[in-house]
mmCIF file of all heavy atoms in Angstrom:
data_model
loop_
_atom_site.group_PDB
_atom_site.id
_atom_site.type_symbol
_atom_site.label_atom_id
_atom_site.label_comp_id
_atom_site.label_asym_id
_atom_site.label_seq_id
_atom_site.Cartn_x
_atom_site.Cartn_y
_atom_site.Cartn_z
ATOM 1 N N GLY A 127 0.776 -1.228 0.000
ATOM 2 C CA GLY A 127 0.000 0.000 0.000
ATOM 3 C C GLY A 127 0.803 1.270 0.000
ATOM 4 O O GLY A 127 0.303 2.324 0.386
ATOM 5 N N THR A 128 2.061 1.201 -0.428
ATOM 6 C CA THR A 128 2.917 2.390 -0.459
ATOM 7 C C THR A 128 3.244 2.736 -1.904
ATOM 8 O O THR A 128 4.060 2.080 -2.542
ATOM 9 C CB THR A 128 4.216 2.159 0.336
ATOM 10 O OG1 THR A 128 3.890 1.762 1.666
ATOM 11 C CG2 THR A 128 5.058 3.415 0.384
ATOM 12 N N SER A 129 2.586 3.749 -2.415
ATOM 13 C CA SER A 129 2.760 4.118 -3.820
ATOM 14 C C SER A 129 4.012 4.967 -4.010
ATOM 15 O O SER A 129 4.426 5.696 -3.104
ATOM 16 C CB SER A 129 1.541 4.894 -4.315
ATOM 17 O OG SER A 129 1.647 5.179 -5.697
ATOM 18 N N GLY A 130 4.586 4.864 -5.173
ATOM 19 C CA GLY A 130 5.769 5.660 -5.495
ATOM 20 C C GLY A 130 5.790 6.031 -6.959
ATOM 21 O O GLY A 130 5.084 5.446 -7.787
ATOM 22 N N VAL A 131 6.583 7.022 -7.277
ATOM 23 C CA VAL A 131 6.754 7.435 -8.678
ATOM 24 C C VAL A 131 8.163 7.980 -8.838
ATOM 25 O O VAL A 131 8.710 8.591 -7.912
ATOM 26 C CB VAL A 131 5.703 8.495 -9.084
ATOM 27 C CG1 VAL A 131 5.851 9.773 -8.271
ATOM 28 C CG2 VAL A 131 5.778 8.796 -10.577
ATOM 29 N N GLY A 132 8.759 7.715 -9.977
ATOM 30 C CA GLY A 132 10.115 8.207 -10.203
ATOM 31 C C GLY A 132 10.504 8.130 -11.659
ATOM 32 O O GLY A 132 9.753 7.623 -12.505
ATOM 33 N N PHE A 133 11.707 8.631 -11.930
ATOM 34 C CA PHE A 133 12.217 8.586 -13.297
ATOM 35 C C PHE A 133 13.729 8.580 -13.252
ATOM 36 O O PHE A 133 14.344 8.768 -12.194
ATOM 37 C CB PHE A 133 11.703 9.775 -14.112
ATOM 38 C CG PHE A 133 12.386 11.087 -13.806
ATOM 39 C CD1 PHE A 133 13.188 11.709 -14.753
ATOM 40 C CD2 PHE A 133 12.227 11.713 -12.568
ATOM 41 C CE1 PHE A 133 13.821 12.918 -14.479
ATOM 42 C CE2 PHE A 133 12.843 12.913 -12.292
ATOM 43 C CZ PHE A 133 13.645 13.519 -13.247
ATOM 44 N N SER A 134 14.332 8.349 -14.389
ATOM 45 C CA SER A 134 15.783 8.202 -14.439
ATOM 46 C C SER A 134 16.339 8.826 -15.709
ATOM 47 O O SER A 134 15.727 8.744 -16.776
ATOM 48 C CB SER A 134 16.136 6.709 -14.397
ATOM 49 O OG SER A 134 17.521 6.518 -14.548
ATOM 50 N N PHE A 135 17.517 9.450 -15.582
ATOM 51 C CA PHE A 135 18.302 9.899 -16.736
ATOM 52 C C PHE A 135 19.414 8.894 -16.990
ATOM 53 O O PHE A 135 20.042 8.399 -16.048
ATOM 54 C CB PHE A 135 18.949 11.259 -16.476
ATOM 55 C CG PHE A 135 18.005 12.417 -16.441
ATOM 56 C CD1 PHE A 135 17.723 13.064 -15.244
ATOM 57 C CD2 PHE A 135 17.398 12.878 -17.594
ATOM 58 C CE1 PHE A 135 16.858 14.142 -15.192
ATOM 59 C CE2 PHE A 135 16.517 13.961 -17.559
ATOM 60 C CZ PHE A 135 16.254 14.580 -16.362
ATOM 61 N N GLY A 136 19.688 8.601 -18.244
ATOM 62 C CA GLY A 136 20.835 7.783 -18.610
ATOM 63 C C GLY A 136 22.015 8.679 -18.962
ATOM 64 O O GLY A 136 22.001 9.368 -19.986
ATOM 65 N N ILE A 137 23.023 8.711 -18.093
ATOM 66 C CA ILE A 137 24.163 9.610 -18.280
ATOM 67 C C ILE A 137 24.873 9.348 -19.601
ATOM 68 O O ILE A 137 25.221 10.280 -20.342
ATOM 69 C CB ILE A 137 25.164 9.460 -17.114
ATOM 70 C CG1 ILE A 137 24.517 9.924 -15.804
ATOM 71 C CG2 ILE A 137 26.440 10.269 -17.376
ATOM 72 C CD1 ILE A 137 24.097 11.357 -15.816
ATOM 73 N N ASP A 138 25.098 8.088 -19.917
ATOM 74 C CA ASP A 138 25.876 7.751 -21.110
ATOM 75 C C ASP A 138 25.160 8.162 -22.388
ATOM 76 O O ASP A 138 25.788 8.632 -23.342
ATOM 77 C CB ASP A 138 26.186 6.256 -21.114
ATOM 78 C CG ASP A 138 26.945 5.836 -19.859
ATOM 79 O OD1 ASP A 138 26.291 5.520 -18.856
ATOM 80 O OD2 ASP A 138 28.187 5.858 -19.881
ATOM 81 N N ARG A 139 23.849 7.994 -22.407
ATOM 82 C CA ARG A 139 23.090 8.409 -23.594
ATOM 83 C C ARG A 139 23.024 9.929 -23.708
ATOM 84 O O ARG A 139 23.082 10.481 -24.809
ATOM 85 C CB ARG A 139 21.690 7.809 -23.558
ATOM 86 C CG ARG A 139 21.683 6.311 -23.857
ATOM 87 C CD ARG A 139 20.289 5.795 -24.119
ATOM 88 N NE ARG A 139 20.306 4.419 -24.592
ATOM 89 C CZ ARG A 139 19.248 3.762 -25.041
ATOM 90 N NH1 ARG A 139 18.074 4.373 -25.064
ATOM 91 N NH2 ARG A 139 19.349 2.518 -25.461
ATOM 92 N N LEU A 140 22.885 10.615 -22.576
ATOM 93 C CA LEU A 140 22.914 12.078 -22.610
ATOM 94 C C LEU A 140 24.259 12.570 -23.137
ATOM 95 O O LEU A 140 24.321 13.528 -23.924
ATOM 96 C CB LEU A 140 22.657 12.646 -21.214
ATOM 97 C CG LEU A 140 21.215 12.625 -20.712
ATOM 98 C CD1 LEU A 140 21.155 13.100 -19.266
ATOM 99 C CD2 LEU A 140 20.322 13.498 -21.590
ATOM 100 N N TYR A 141 25.330 11.914 -22.704
ATOM 101 C CA TYR A 141 26.674 12.273 -23.171
ATOM 102 C C TYR A 141 26.752 12.144 -24.691
ATOM 103 O O TYR A 141 27.226 13.057 -25.384
ATOM 104 C CB TYR A 141 27.701 11.348 -22.506
ATOM 105 C CG TYR A 141 29.145 11.674 -22.830
ATOM 106 C CD1 TYR A 141 29.954 12.312 -21.893
ATOM 107 C CD2 TYR A 141 29.706 11.346 -24.068
ATOM 108 C CE1 TYR A 141 31.277 12.617 -22.184
ATOM 109 C CE2 TYR A 141 31.024 11.646 -24.359
ATOM 110 C CZ TYR A 141 31.804 12.277 -23.411
ATOM 111 O OH TYR A 141 33.118 12.576 -23.698
ATOM 112 N N ASP A 142 26.270 11.014 -25.215
ATOM 113 C CA ASP A 142 26.319 10.790 -26.665
ATOM 114 C C ASP A 142 25.505 11.839 -27.420
ATOM 115 O O ASP A 142 25.904 12.304 -28.497
ATOM 116 C CB ASP A 142 25.809 9.387 -27.004
ATOM 117 C CG ASP A 142 26.768 8.290 -26.553
ATOM 118 O OD1 ASP A 142 27.947 8.614 -26.282
ATOM 119 O OD2 ASP A 142 26.346 7.124 -26.472
ATOM 120 N N CYS A 143 24.348 12.214 -26.871
ATOM 121 C CA CYS A 143 23.509 13.219 -27.530
ATOM 122 C C CYS A 143 24.170 14.594 -27.519
ATOM 123 O O CYS A 143 24.153 15.312 -28.532
ATOM 124 C CB CYS A 143 22.141 13.292 -26.845
ATOM 125 S SG CYS A 143 21.097 11.848 -27.115
ATOM 126 N N LEU A 144 24.732 14.987 -26.387
ATOM 127 C CA LEU A 144 25.427 16.276 -26.302
ATOM 128 C C LEU A 144 26.592 16.327 -27.277
ATOM 129 O O LEU A 144 26.844 17.358 -27.917
ATOM 130 C CB LEU A 144 25.921 16.514 -24.870
ATOM 131 C CG LEU A 144 24.862 16.886 -23.839
ATOM 132 C CD1 LEU A 144 25.406 16.736 -22.431
ATOM 133 C CD2 LEU A 144 24.366 18.309 -24.063
ATOM 134 N N GLU A 145 27.302 15.220 -27.401
ATOM 135 C CA GLU A 145 28.444 15.172 -28.311
ATOM 136 C C GLU A 145 27.983 15.219 -29.754
ATOM 137 O O GLU A 145 28.558 15.940 -30.585
ATOM 138 C CB GLU A 145 29.239 13.892 -28.043
ATOM 139 C CG GLU A 145 30.611 13.870 -28.701
ATOM 140 C CD GLU A 145 31.458 12.720 -28.181
ATOM 141 O OE1 GLU A 145 30.974 11.571 -28.198
ATOM 142 O OE2 GLU A 145 32.597 12.975 -27.745
ATOM 143 N N GLU A 146 26.917 14.483 -30.065
ATOM 144 C CA GLU A 146 26.416 14.456 -31.443
ATOM 145 C C GLU A 146 25.897 15.822 -31.875
ATOM 146 O O GLU A 146 26.064 16.232 -33.027
ATOM 147 C CB GLU A 146 25.295 13.411 -31.552
ATOM 148 C CG GLU A 146 24.788 13.196 -32.964
ATOM 149 C CD GLU A 146 23.825 12.026 -33.077
ATOM 150 O OE1 GLU A 146 23.880 11.111 -32.217
ATOM 151 O OE2 GLU A 146 23.013 12.012 -34.025
ATOM 152 N N LEU A 147 25.281 16.555 -30.946
ATOM 153 C CA LEU A 147 24.737 17.881 -31.261
ATOM 154 C C LEU A 147 25.741 19.006 -30.986
ATOM 155 O O LEU A 147 25.408 20.177 -31.143
ATOM 156 C CB LEU A 147 23.463 18.126 -30.451
ATOM 157 C CG LEU A 147 22.278 17.186 -30.763
ATOM 158 C CD1 LEU A 147 21.147 17.413 -29.776
ATOM 159 C CD2 LEU A 147 21.805 17.387 -32.195
ATOM 160 N N ASN A 148 26.956 18.628 -30.537
ATOM 161 C CA ASN A 148 28.013 19.605 -30.271
ATOM 162 C C ASN A 148 27.545 20.666 -29.262
ATOM 163 O O ASN A 148 27.736 21.867 -29.457
ATOM 164 C CB ASN A 148 28.464 20.286 -31.576
ATOM 165 C CG ASN A 148 29.798 20.994 -31.423
ATOM 166 O OD1 ASN A 148 30.620 20.601 -30.598
ATOM 167 N ND2 ASN A 148 30.002 22.040 -32.197
ATOM 168 N N LEU A 149 26.964 20.193 -28.145
ATOM 169 C CA LEU A 149 26.411 21.097 -27.143
ATOM 170 C C LEU A 149 27.269 21.221 -25.893
ATOM 171 O O LEU A 149 26.911 21.974 -24.973
ATOM 172 C CB LEU A 149 25.007 20.626 -26.735
ATOM 173 C CG LEU A 149 23.910 20.773 -27.800
ATOM 174 C CD1 LEU A 149 22.599 20.204 -27.279
ATOM 175 C CD2 LEU A 149 23.740 22.227 -28.218
ATOM 176 N N PHE A 150 28.380 20.514 -25.843
ATOM 177 C CA PHE A 150 29.241 20.651 -24.665
ATOM 178 C C PHE A 150 29.862 22.039 -24.631
ATOM 179 O O PHE A 150 30.405 22.518 -25.634
ATOM 180 C CB PHE A 150 30.347 19.595 -24.669
ATOM 181 C CG PHE A 150 29.917 18.263 -24.127
ATOM 182 C CD1 PHE A 150 29.859 17.160 -24.948
ATOM 183 C CD2 PHE A 150 29.564 18.123 -22.783
ATOM 184 C CE1 PHE A 150 29.460 15.918 -24.450
ATOM 185 C CE2 PHE A 150 29.169 16.898 -22.283
ATOM 186 C CZ PHE A 150 29.116 15.796 -23.122
ATOM 187 N N LYS A 151 29.780 22.682 -23.491
ATOM 188 C CA LYS A 151 30.375 24.005 -23.327
ATOM 189 C C LYS A 151 31.857 23.857 -23.002
ATOM 190 O O LYS A 151 32.276 22.879 -22.404
ATOM 191 C CB LYS A 151 29.666 24.774 -22.205
ATOM 192 C CG LYS A 151 28.177 24.972 -22.457
ATOM 193 C CD LYS A 151 27.505 25.624 -21.254
ATOM 194 C CE LYS A 151 26.007 25.761 -21.469
ATOM 195 N NZ LYS A 151 25.323 26.333 -20.283
ATOM 196 N N GLU A 152 32.625 24.857 -23.389
ATOM 197 C CA GLU A 152 34.071 24.794 -23.162
ATOM 198 C C GLU A 152 34.393 24.693 -21.679
ATOM 199 O O GLU A 152 35.315 23.993 -21.273
ATOM 200 C CB GLU A 152 34.759 26.024 -23.760
ATOM 201 C CG GLU A 152 34.785 26.019 -25.287
ATOM 202 C CD GLU A 152 35.605 27.171 -25.831
ATOM 203 O OE1 GLU A 152 36.216 27.890 -25.018
ATOM 204 O OE2 GLU A 152 35.638 27.347 -27.057
ATOM 205 N N ASN A 153 33.604 25.371 -20.847
ATOM 206 C CA ASN A 153 33.943 25.384 -19.425
ATOM 207 C C ASN A 153 33.680 24.054 -18.737
ATOM 208 O O ASN A 153 34.040 23.852 -17.594
ATOM 209 C CB ASN A 153 33.204 26.509 -18.684
ATOM 210 C CG ASN A 153 31.692 26.363 -18.774
ATOM 211 O OD1 ASN A 153 31.170 25.379 -19.275
ATOM 212 N ND2 ASN A 153 30.986 27.382 -18.279
ATOM 213 N N THR A 154 32.994 23.131 -19.436
ATOM 214 C CA THR A 154 32.787 21.812 -18.832
ATOM 215 C C THR A 154 34.095 21.042 -18.752
ATOM 216 O O THR A 154 34.192 20.055 -18.033
ATOM 217 C CB THR A 154 31.775 20.988 -19.645
ATOM 218 O OG1 THR A 154 32.293 20.750 -20.960
ATOM 219 C CG2 THR A 154 30.448 21.706 -19.743
ATOM 220 N N GLN A 155 35.096 21.470 -19.526
ATOM 221 C CA GLN A 155 36.377 20.776 -19.532
ATOM 222 C C GLN A 155 37.420 21.509 -18.692
ATOM 223 O O GLN A 155 38.589 21.170 -18.710
ATOM 224 C CB GLN A 155 36.879 20.645 -20.967
ATOM 225 C CG GLN A 155 35.907 19.931 -21.893
ATOM 226 C CD GLN A 155 36.323 20.067 -23.341
ATOM 227 O OE1 GLN A 155 37.489 19.913 -23.679
ATOM 228 N NE2 GLN A 155 35.374 20.354 -24.206
ATOM 229 N N THR A 156 37.007 22.537 -17.961
ATOM 230 C CA THR A 156 37.928 23.348 -17.191
ATOM 231 C C THR A 156 37.979 22.883 -15.747
ATOM 232 O O THR A 156 36.954 22.780 -15.084
ATOM 233 C CB THR A 156 37.505 24.830 -17.234
ATOM 234 O OG1 THR A 156 37.525 25.264 -18.593
ATOM 235 C CG2 THR A 156 38.454 25.678 -16.417
ATOM 236 N N PHE A 157 39.197 22.599 -15.276
ATOM 237 C CA PHE A 157 39.364 22.227 -13.878
ATOM 238 C C PHE A 157 39.915 23.418 -13.096
ATOM 239 O O PHE A 157 39.472 23.698 -11.996
ATOM 240 C CB PHE A 157 40.320 21.032 -13.744
ATOM 241 C CG PHE A 157 39.744 19.761 -14.301
ATOM 242 C CD1 PHE A 157 40.029 19.361 -15.591
ATOM 243 C CD2 PHE A 157 38.909 18.982 -13.529
ATOM 244 C CE1 PHE A 157 39.495 18.188 -16.093
ATOM 245 C CE2 PHE A 157 38.367 17.806 -14.027
ATOM 246 C CZ PHE A 157 38.657 17.408 -15.320
ATOM 247 N N SER A 158 40.875 24.098 -13.653
ATOM 248 C CA SER A 158 41.497 25.232 -12.973
ATOM 249 C C SER A 158 41.064 26.533 -13.619
ATOM 250 O O SER A 158 40.924 26.619 -14.843
ATOM 251 C CB SER A 158 43.027 25.123 -13.030
ATOM 252 O OG SER A 158 43.466 23.973 -12.345
ATOM 253 N N GLN A 159 40.864 27.557 -12.791
ATOM 254 C CA GLN A 159 40.526 28.875 -13.304
ATOM 255 C C GLN A 159 41.781 29.664 -13.701
ATOM 256 O O GLN A 159 41.713 30.522 -14.571
ATOM 257 C CB GLN A 159 39.751 29.671 -12.244
ATOM 258 C CG GLN A 159 38.373 29.129 -11.949
ATOM 259 C CD GLN A 159 37.735 29.878 -10.790
ATOM 260 O OE1 GLN A 159 37.799 29.446 -9.659
ATOM 261 N NE2 GLN A 159 37.132 31.029 -11.078
ATOM 262 N N ALA A 160 42.889 29.357 -13.020
ATOM 263 C CA ALA A 160 44.096 30.145 -13.282
ATOM 264 C C ALA A 160 45.349 29.286 -13.139
ATOM 265 O O ALA A 160 45.395 28.388 -12.294
ATOM 266 C CB ALA A 160 44.170 31.343 -12.329
ATOM 267 N N LEU A 161 46.338 29.584 -13.982
ATOM 268 C CA LEU A 161 47.648 28.941 -13.897
ATOM 269 C C LEU A 161 48.693 30.014 -13.599
ATOM 270 O O LEU A 161 48.756 31.040 -14.289
ATOM 271 C CB LEU A 161 47.995 28.233 -15.202
ATOM 272 C CG LEU A 161 49.426 27.697 -15.301
ATOM 273 C CD1 LEU A 161 49.595 26.471 -14.397
ATOM 274 C CD2 LEU A 161 49.806 27.366 -16.742
ATOM 275 N N ILE A 162 49.508 29.782 -12.584
ATOM 276 C CA ILE A 162 50.596 30.712 -12.274
ATOM 277 C C ILE A 162 51.811 30.337 -13.126
ATOM 278 O O ILE A 162 52.299 29.200 -13.067
ATOM 279 C CB ILE A 162 50.938 30.664 -10.775
ATOM 280 C CG1 ILE A 162 49.746 31.183 -9.966
ATOM 281 C CG2 ILE A 162 52.192 31.489 -10.471
ATOM 282 C CD1 ILE A 162 49.950 31.118 -8.469
ATOM 283 N N VAL A 163 52.261 31.310 -13.886
ATOM 284 C CA VAL A 163 53.407 31.132 -14.791
ATOM 285 C C VAL A 163 54.596 31.898 -14.202
ATOM 286 O O VAL A 163 54.447 33.025 -13.717
ATOM 287 C CB VAL A 163 53.061 31.666 -16.196
ATOM 288 C CG1 VAL A 163 54.277 31.592 -17.123
ATOM 289 C CG2 VAL A 163 51.881 30.871 -16.784
ATOM 290 N N HIS A 164 55.806 31.355 -14.250
ATOM 291 C CA HIS A 164 56.954 31.971 -13.596
ATOM 292 C C HIS A 164 58.198 31.895 -14.498
ATOM 293 O O HIS A 164 58.269 31.078 -15.427
ATOM 294 C CB HIS A 164 57.223 31.275 -12.262
ATOM 295 C CG HIS A 164 57.223 29.768 -12.375
ATOM 296 N ND1 HIS A 164 58.325 29.050 -12.761
ATOM 297 C CD2 HIS A 164 56.217 28.870 -12.170
ATOM 298 C CE1 HIS A 164 58.019 27.760 -12.776
ATOM 299 N NE2 HIS A 164 56.737 27.628 -12.425
ATOM 300 N N PHE A 165 59.200 32.776 -14.193
ATOM 301 C CA PHE A 165 60.414 32.861 -15.002
ATOM 302 C C PHE A 165 61.559 32.027 -14.443
ATOM 303 O O PHE A 165 62.382 31.506 -15.194
ATOM 304 C CB PHE A 165 60.868 34.326 -15.108
ATOM 305 C CG PHE A 165 60.029 35.142 -16.050
ATOM 306 C CD1 PHE A 165 58.888 35.792 -15.597
ATOM 307 C CD2 PHE A 165 60.384 35.261 -17.387
ATOM 308 C CE1 PHE A 165 58.117 36.547 -16.461
ATOM 309 C CE2 PHE A 165 59.608 36.022 -18.259
ATOM 310 C CZ PHE A 165 58.466 36.661 -17.799
ATOM 311 N N ASP A 166 61.651 31.945 -13.120
ATOM 312 C CA ASP A 166 62.805 31.280 -12.509
ATOM 313 C C ASP A 166 62.401 30.712 -11.152
ATOM 314 O O ASP A 166 61.226 30.770 -10.752
ATOM 315 C CB ASP A 166 63.971 32.258 -12.369
ATOM 316 C CG ASP A 166 63.557 33.559 -11.700
ATOM 317 O OD1 ASP A 166 62.661 33.506 -10.812
ATOM 318 O OD2 ASP A 166 64.112 34.615 -12.045
ATOM 319 N N GLU A 167 63.376 30.205 -10.427
ATOM 320 C CA GLU A 167 63.086 29.559 -9.148
ATOM 321 C C GLU A 167 62.555 30.545 -8.118
ATOM 322 O O GLU A 167 61.640 30.233 -7.353
ATOM 323 C CB GLU A 167 64.353 28.874 -8.608
ATOM 324 C CG GLU A 167 64.097 28.032 -7.361
ATOM 325 C CD GLU A 167 65.325 27.249 -6.934
ATOM 326 O OE1 GLU A 167 66.286 27.159 -7.722
ATOM 327 O OE2 GLU A 167 65.307 26.724 -5.795
ATOM 328 N N ASP A 168 63.111 31.787 -8.083
ATOM 329 C CA ASP A 168 62.638 32.779 -7.113
ATOM 330 C C ASP A 168 61.167 33.143 -7.378
ATOM 331 O O ASP A 168 60.370 33.245 -6.440
ATOM 332 C CB ASP A 168 63.508 34.037 -7.184
ATOM 333 C CG ASP A 168 64.900 33.791 -6.614
ATOM 334 O OD1 ASP A 168 65.050 32.825 -5.822
ATOM 335 O OD2 ASP A 168 65.832 34.551 -6.963
#
């Protein structure tokens, strides 16, 4: 007597669709916001 309702997304299929439609944003591949660049040891 306990009713329920739900749904599910398939991650792998969503990935394939985003790739096929070229909808991935550039920032989805970004891990770091900034890189420190230096000239020497000091």
Side-chain angles (χ1 to χ4, degrees):
T128 304
S129 184
V131 63
F133 76 113
S134 175
F135 289 109
I137 295 299
D138 302 88
R139 287 193 172 188
L140 284 175
Y141 184 104
D142 290 343
C143 290
L144 286 165
E145 193 169 52
E146 186 172 336
L147 296 173
N148 196 28
L149 290 177
F150 277 114
K151 301 175 183 177
E152 289 186 5
N153 60 7
T154 63
Q155 303 169 44
T156 299
F157 292 95
S158 297
Q159 292 174 264
L161 171 72
I162 295 177
V163 176
H164 48 84
F165 285 89
D166 50 34
E167 187 174 347
D168 289 339

